[in-house]
Amino acid sequence: MAGKRDETRRKMLDALPKNGVGAEVGVWEGRFSEVILEVCTPKALHLIDPWEYDPRFNNTGFGRKKNAERMPAMHEMVAEKFAADDRVHLHRATSAEALVEMEDGSLDWIYIDGNHNEPFVGMDLALATKKVRPGGVIAGDDYHWSDGEGTPVKAAVAKTVEKLGDGATLEVMGQQYIIRLQA
C-alpha cells in the first residue's frame, strides 16, 4: 500500500492539467516520472536533471558522497526506462539550462523537485512563471523542507506568489504545493 506521501503526491498530480505538455525538474531514478505519465497522461513530458554529483549541497541526495558514483548510472537507467516512450524528452542539464531553451508559455504545467537551496529554487520558480502558460500550474515538492536555517522552498514559493499577486493562487497539500496561474 502506498504511504501518505505517495497518496498526497498522487492527489497533487490529479490537480495538474491532463493530456498537455509538462516538465519534471529533479528526476532522480524516474519513479515519480512513471506516476506522472500514468496520472497526467501528458502528450509530452520533459524530464530535467543534470544527474551530477555536487558536494556543495551535501544536504541533498545529489550532494552526498555515497551517491557520487551513482549519478551517471542513474541517468542511464532513466534513459533506458523511457527510451520506448516518445512522449518523454530527457534533458541531462540543470533546470536553468533546459528551461531557458524552451519557449515561454510552452508548458501546461511544471513539477519542481530539484535543488531546494536558494537561489536555485527561486530561479526554478522564476523560470517556471515564464515557461508555464497562463491558466497553467506550477507545482512542487518539499514545501516545508528545512536547510537547518529556514524553509527555502516555502520562502521562494511565497515570494513567487506575492510577485504574481492576483495572477495566481496557492494550495498546499502536505509537502506538495500548487500555484495556479490565472488565464
Side-chain angles (χ1 to χ4, degrees), residues 45-156:
L45 177 61
H46 296 273
L47 299 180
I48 302 166
D49 198 308
W51 286 284
E52 190 174 288
Y53 169 65
D54 191 334
R56 293 177 300 164
F57 305 107
N58 63 4
N59 62 348
T60 68
F62 61 86
R64 291 191 184 105
K65 185 111 176 97
K66 70 177 185 175
N67 292 322
E69 301 301 318
R70 289 185 61 212
M71 301 311 269
M74 202 181 304
H75 169 257
E76 289 303 316
M77 179 189 75
V78 171
E80 286 176 25
K81 183 184 293 196
F82 298 110
D85 193 330
D86 60 2
R87 299 173 296 168
V88 175
H89 307 278
L90 208 59
H91 303 266
R92 188 173 187 182
T94 66
S95 51
E97 292 165 344
L99 290 171
V100 79
E101 296 294 320
M102 295 180 187
E103 283 186 45
D104 288 356
S106 63
L107 298 174
D108 294 298
W109 57 266
I110 189 168
Y111 183 76
I112 301 171
D113 191 14
N115 189 336
H116 300 337
N117 294 287
E118 272 299 349
F120 304 98
V121 66
M123 289 188 306
D124 284 348
L125 286 162
L127 280 167
T129 63
K130 294 177 183 169
K131 303 307 172 179
V132 174
R133 66 169 172 75
V137 175
I138 300 168
D141 195 17
D142 296 317
Y143 183 74
H144 300 287
W145 180 80
S146 174
D147 63 3
E149 296 177 23
T151 50
V153 175
K154 185 176 185 177

Side-chain angles (χ1 to χ4, degrees), residues 28-51:
W28 198 248
E29 294 175 339
R31 288 194 300 259
F32 192 58
S33 310
E34 292 172 312
V35 180
I36 290 171
L37 288 165
E38 174 195 333
V39 175
C40 296
T41 60
K43 60 182 171 190
L45 177 61
H46 296 273
L47 299 180
I48 302 166
D49 198 308
W51 286 284

